[in-house]
Amino acid sequence: MVELSTTRDGVANQAEASDRVLQILAEAGRLFATKGFDGTSMRDIAVACGISKSLLYHHFSNKDEIYARVAVGSTLELYLFVRDRIPDGPPSERIRAFMVATAEYFRRYRWAWIASTTAFWNDPDRHRQKERMTRRDRFENFLRGLIQEAIDAGEIRNVDVPMTGRLILSSLNWMHRWYNPNKSATPEQIADIFFDMVFNGLRNDGSAGLPPTVETPKSPRRKAR
Amino acid sequence: MVELSTTRDGVANQAEASDRVLQILAEAGRLFATKGFDGTSMRDIAVACGISKSLLYHHFSNKDEIYARVAVGSTLELYLFVRDRIPDGPPSERIRAFMVATAEYFRRYRWAWIASTTAFWNDPDRHRQKERMTRRDRFENFLRGLIQEAIDAGEIRNVDVPMTGRLILSSLNWMHRWYNPNKSATPEQIADIFFDMVFNGLRNDGSAGLPPTVETPKSPRRKAR
DNA sequence: GTTTTCGCCTACCAATCGGTCAAGCCCGCT
DNA sequence: AGCGGGCTTGACCGATTGGTAGGCGAAAAC
């Protein structure tokens, strides 16, 4: 149902775009994500693409449009992307699927995701900001619906639904700040780990694990950063 | 031990600074936080303070120094701030105290916190960035130490320590994106709720709560955003 | 074979950027 | 009264910003 072209590096939803346009969007996304909207000049984008600055204006009307195509264009269908990846089943498993699907989206459209979230507060276009807020709310409300289902089904405690949603989304939204695609696990695996921690809790209820007196084994726990 | 002056609006660690300097730091912090470093011009800061642009250069050598005083100066002692607020007691309670103290720091130095975290990737000063990384690592390693203690004491399961730390820090670090000081609970209360969710887990183990067949009551669950 | 179209570039623009400078204002000290 | 010095200013600087004008060259359309 949801069709996402992946012709070039994490640039989604850019149907019928030429290779050059896709290249510009990819480079611009990477720059916007790492240096911010205001920190990225049109010259930066042009140099990164190996083209002249004027050519950017041949393909896009202005800087704002490039950003819009990167941020809004690529994040257009996050809600649909996630929704279509949630199977039937117990609500808690649907929450897990929600988290894994969101992580997959993050992995696939990483630069656009970061560019979109880092410039969230100071989007120059008020209308676009509102539209993005609307989509974000729809996405968040969808998660809250799943949580409520899980409560109604008795799978999870009668917790504060919005707050629970925020906890879950925090774990996913903060990932771009520490995730390293070269090391560690995949975003999907990380999401799965986070779900396990949040759902089952950290508390040792004595059902498993070593007795506390035993020295913790020298497992490969040193790794990581 | 740790002395944090609070003479003006969330501007910490600026001993022996004149009112004017404190005003500049406060306004600059708010602007850096909302519009970013590159999105904030010296003129913006001057106008916000109701002074001339030149006066900024009388009190600070350049834009970078203002940012440094806001971001680094105010976040200088996060580690000490938190450490000194963690009581003796069971490791799990120390983790809770860690979260609550971090939330308190966020509440007190909110703009500086946001300005510091949003501009994290593209700090113009390499040396300062490195120093900030070092402090961040020390802060994070401190939390990991607490988690390891809790595991050794058998209070929490034998989870992946770095990943657990990231989950906890995510819930705190993402707060600035949705927290509204006018509504909702205090950051400290929110941190406490998050600790409860993560520590005890969301899963309904049947020890409490309503039976699943009963319709969930029309509690004040609509509220919030 | 000519014309149109499209991708692309060099040269340039006004506006704004961070930053400088010399001179005024205003205060307490002598 | 005079004077010294910190606070404050408007005018100005070169560099960089987003954006524009006009032309070149090849390929497609006629």
Side-chain angles (χ1 to χ4, degrees):
Chain A
M1 164 137 263
V2 179
E3 187 95 298
L4 291 162
S5 72
T6 55
T7 341
R8 194 177 285 264
D9 240 19
V11 177
N13 242 356
Q14 307 293 351
E16 299 175 18
S18 68
D19 281 356
R20 174 105 310 157
V21 168
L22 292 177
Q23 179 199 14
I24 293 172
L25 290 174
E27 292 294 337
R30 191 175 51 81
L31 286 170
F32 285 145
T34 53
K35 309 193 348 173
F37 179 82
D38 293 301
T40 302
S41 72
M42 292 297 268
R43 283 169 183 77
D44 291 339
I45 300 174
V47 168
C49 295
I51 60 178
S52 76
K53 188 163 65 78
S54 302
L55 188 52
L56 296 176
Y57 289 93
H58 179 74
H59 291 292
F60 302 90
S61 62
N62 51 37
K63 184 182 181 181
D64 235 47
E65 193 195 322
I66 299 182
Y67 175 75
R69 286 284 290 275
V70 169
V72 181
S74 294
T75 59
L76 187 64
E77 307 294 353
L78 170 60
Y79 166 71
L80 295 176
F81 182 96
V82 170
R83 189 196 63 183
D84 289 358
R85 277 167 178 73
I86 296 183
D88 289 337
S92 62
E93 281 308 310
R94 286 158 65 82
I95 293 175
R96 181 206 300 271
F98 176 96
M99 294 178 66
V100 172
T102 304
E104 181 188 348
Y105 191 92
F106 163 75
R107 177 177 54 78
R108 288 174 63 159
Y109 312 112
R110 181 154 161 257
W111 292 128
W113 169 293
I114 297 173
S116 171
T117 56
T118 52
F120 211 81
W121 275 14
N122 45 330
D123 193 315
D125 186 332
R126 304 289 298 172
H127 172 65
R128 191 174 55 218
Q129 175 141 3
K130 227 170 204 174
E131 188 188 343
R132 205 152 41 153
M133 281 293 197
T134 303
R135 275 208 287 268
R136 205 182 75 114
D137 285 351
R138 187 171 52 175
F139 179 68
E140 190 161 358
N141 284 332
F142 179 57
L143 172 60
R144 292 183 185 178
L146 295 181
I147 295 169
Q148 190 59 53
E149 283 179 31
I151 293 177
D152 293 343
E155 287 191 328
I156 74 177
R157 300 188 276 142
N158 193 20
V159 288
D160 182 305
V161 173
M163 204 61 87
T164 305
R166 285 191 270 256
L167 173 63
I168 289 174
L169 290 179
S170 295
S171 69
L172 300 170
N173 286 334
W174 193 251
M175 222 166 62
H176 75 269
R177 290 293 294 268
W178 60 269
Y179 172 68
N180 183 341
N182 299 324
K183 310 178 192 173
S184 187
T186 66
E188 290 94 322
Q189 292 171 327
I190 294 167
D192 199 69
I193 292 173
F194 280 165
F195 172 82
D196 171 66
M197 288 180 179
V198 173
F199 183 66
N200 294 311
L202 300 177
R203 184 162 44 79
N204 187 1
D205 54 6
S207 65
L210 303 168
T213 51
V214 174
E215 195 70 11
T216 47
K218 290 182 182 62
S219 63
R221 173 164 35 78
R222 5 189 79 261
K223 191 74 183 301
R225 184 215 145 274
Chain B
M1 164 138 264
V2 179
E3 188 94 296
L4 290 162
S5 71
T6 55
T7 341
R8 194 176 285 262
D9 237 19
V11 178
N13 240 356
Q14 307 294 350
E16 299 175 18
S18 70
D19 281 356
R20 177 93 326 146
V21 167
L22 292 177
Q23 178 198 17
I24 293 172
L25 290 175
E27 292 294 339
R30 192 176 50 80
L31 286 170
F32 285 146
T34 53
K35 309 193 350 173
F37 180 81
D38 293 302
T40 302
S41 73
M42 293 297 269
R43 282 169 185 79
D44 292 338
I45 300 174
V47 169
C49 296
I51 61 178
S52 74
K53 187 164 63 79
S54 307
L55 187 52
L56 295 177
Y57 289 94
H58 178 74
H59 292 292
F60 301 90
S61 62
N62 52 36
K63 184 181 180 182
D64 235 48
E65 192 194 323
I66 298 183
Y67 176 75
R69 286 284 290 274
V70 169
V72 181
S74 295
T75 60
L76 187 64
E77 307 294 354
L78 170 60
Y79 166 70
L80 295 176
F81 182 96
V82 170
R83 190 196 61 183
D84 289 356
R85 275 164 180 77
I86 296 184
D88 289 336
S92 62
E93 281 307 311
R94 287 159 64 82
I95 293 175
R96 181 206 300 271
F98 176 96
M99 293 178 68
V100 172
T102 304
E104 181 189 348
Y105 191 91
F106 163 76
R107 178 176 56 75
R108 288 173 65 158
Y109 312 112
R110 182 155 161 259
W111 293 127
W113 169 293
I114 296 173
S116 170
T117 56
T118 52
F120 210 80
W121 276 16
N122 44 330
D123 192 316
D125 187 330
R126 305 287 299 172
H127 172 65
R128 192 173 55 219
Q129 173 140 5
K130 225 168 205 174
E131 188 188 343
R132 204 152 41 153
M133 281 293 197
T134 303
R135 275 206 289 267
R136 204 181 75 114
D137 285 351
R138 187 172 52 175
F139 179 68
E140 190 162 358
N141 285 332
F142 180 56
L143 172 60
R144 291 182 185 179
L146 296 181
I147 295 169
Q148 190 60 52
E149 283 179 31
I151 293 177
D152 294 342
E155 286 192 329
I156 72 177
R157 301 187 276 141
N158 192 20
V159 287
D160 183 304
V161 173
M163 203 62 85
T164 305
R166 285 191 271 256
L167 173 63
I168 290 174
L169 290 179
S170 296
S171 70
L172 300 171
N173 286 333
W174 193 250
M175 221 165 62
H176 74 271
R177 290 293 293 268
W178 58 269
Y179 172 69
N180 183 342
N182 299 323
K183 310 179 192 174
S184 184
T186 66
E188 290 93 323
Q189 292 170 326
I190 294 167
D192 199 69
I193 292 173
F194 281 165
F195 172 82
D196 170 67
M197 287 181 180
V198 173
F199 183 67
N200 294 312
L202 301 177
R203 185 161 44 80
N204 187 359
D205 54 7
S207 66
L210 303 168
T213 51
V214 174
E215 195 71 8
T216 48
K218 290 183 182 61
S219 63
R221 174 167 30 86
R222 7 190 78 261
K223 190 75 184 301
R225 188 209 144 273

